[in-house]
Amino acid sequence: ANRTCSVSVTLPTTSLNDNTWATIKEVSDAGQGENYWSVGDTKRITINGKVGNFTFSSLAIDTFIIGFNHNSSREGTNRIHFQIGKIGGKDVCLCDSQYGTSQGSNGYFNMNHNNSNSGGWNGSYMRKTLLGNSGTPSSPPANSLLAALPSDLRAVMKPVTKYSDNTGGGSNNASYVTATTDYLFNLAEFEYHGDRSYANSAEKNFQLQYSYYKAGNSKVKYKHGETGTAALHWCRSVYSSYTDRFCLVNSNGSAYGNRAYYSWGEAPGFTV
């Protein structure tokens, strides 16, 4: 017999920015991201709202692909890894009004306001509160970056397993490297550089350098509000030989570290 059927077809385009986040997730779920897009391709979002003590007012910023199924045996399959962000084609990091200063209270873009790396990435103010990993994309904590992301992006974000030094305290102990489940994450020192300088030396055993940086793209990032000014930005890695420091990417792109209560730039990653 003849029958008429209704069929819904999703047709992704090879221009990443032309696709909805829902379509990008469908492609990712099917493990087909690399067949449509490339590392470095961008998708624009708008960040809007209060993050800590800093308010983003409809900031248009491009997210960009840093890897497909990155480190999938440990971090999860069928995931496209993105980073925030680019403005006018330049890699930028998010900076608050107190960038470059020590802040002994919550609300600033520091790792811990008490100037300690105790608890490592897992226990940090940055991870739990400022980025918002104490909640979920469907129920993000107030005044977190997760809450300031557009709802269509939050609807498709996937949790990712990340390995980091989650103890801290100034000892380079391999047992300190454990897993967390994150929606927004700072990249680790090794994920940027493909080498270990100051992080726990065991982190690299659980991590891979992201394809975007392995290809030779610059690690230098600029202030989101002053795109002519290079900025230091946080990694999630504990600076293993100190009790009060986390790793950073320096303004020249090299590995660096600084005290946990300083406000520096943020360039978090996420997966879809």
Side-chain angles (χ1 to χ4, degrees), residues 6-85:
S6 296
V7 179
S8 177
V9 179
T10 300
L11 296 174
T13 73
T14 55
S15 176
L16 180 66
N17 196 54
D18 291 341
N19 296 274
T20 66
W21 282 111
T23 297
I24 293 169
K25 180 181 182 297
E26 286 190 55
V27 173
S28 178
D29 289 348
Q32 295 295 312
E34 288 179 284
N35 292 330
Y36 288 94
W37 310 304
S38 301
V39 168
D41 284 358
T42 61
K43 168 70 175 171
R44 183 156 297 180
I45 63 170
T46 300
I47 300 176
N48 194 46
K50 192 173 183 181
V51 179
N53 294 328
F54 186 83
T55 299
F56 291 95
S57 298
S58 299
L59 174 68
I61 187 168
D62 291 333
T63 66
F64 59 98
I65 295 174
I66 53 176
F68 295 98
N69 284 319
H70 172 83
N71 202 13
S72 59
S73 64
R74 295 189 184 277
E75 301 189 12
T77 58
N78 293 342
R79 281 163 171 76
I80 301 174
H81 291 238
F82 289 82
Q83 192 172 18
I84 306 172

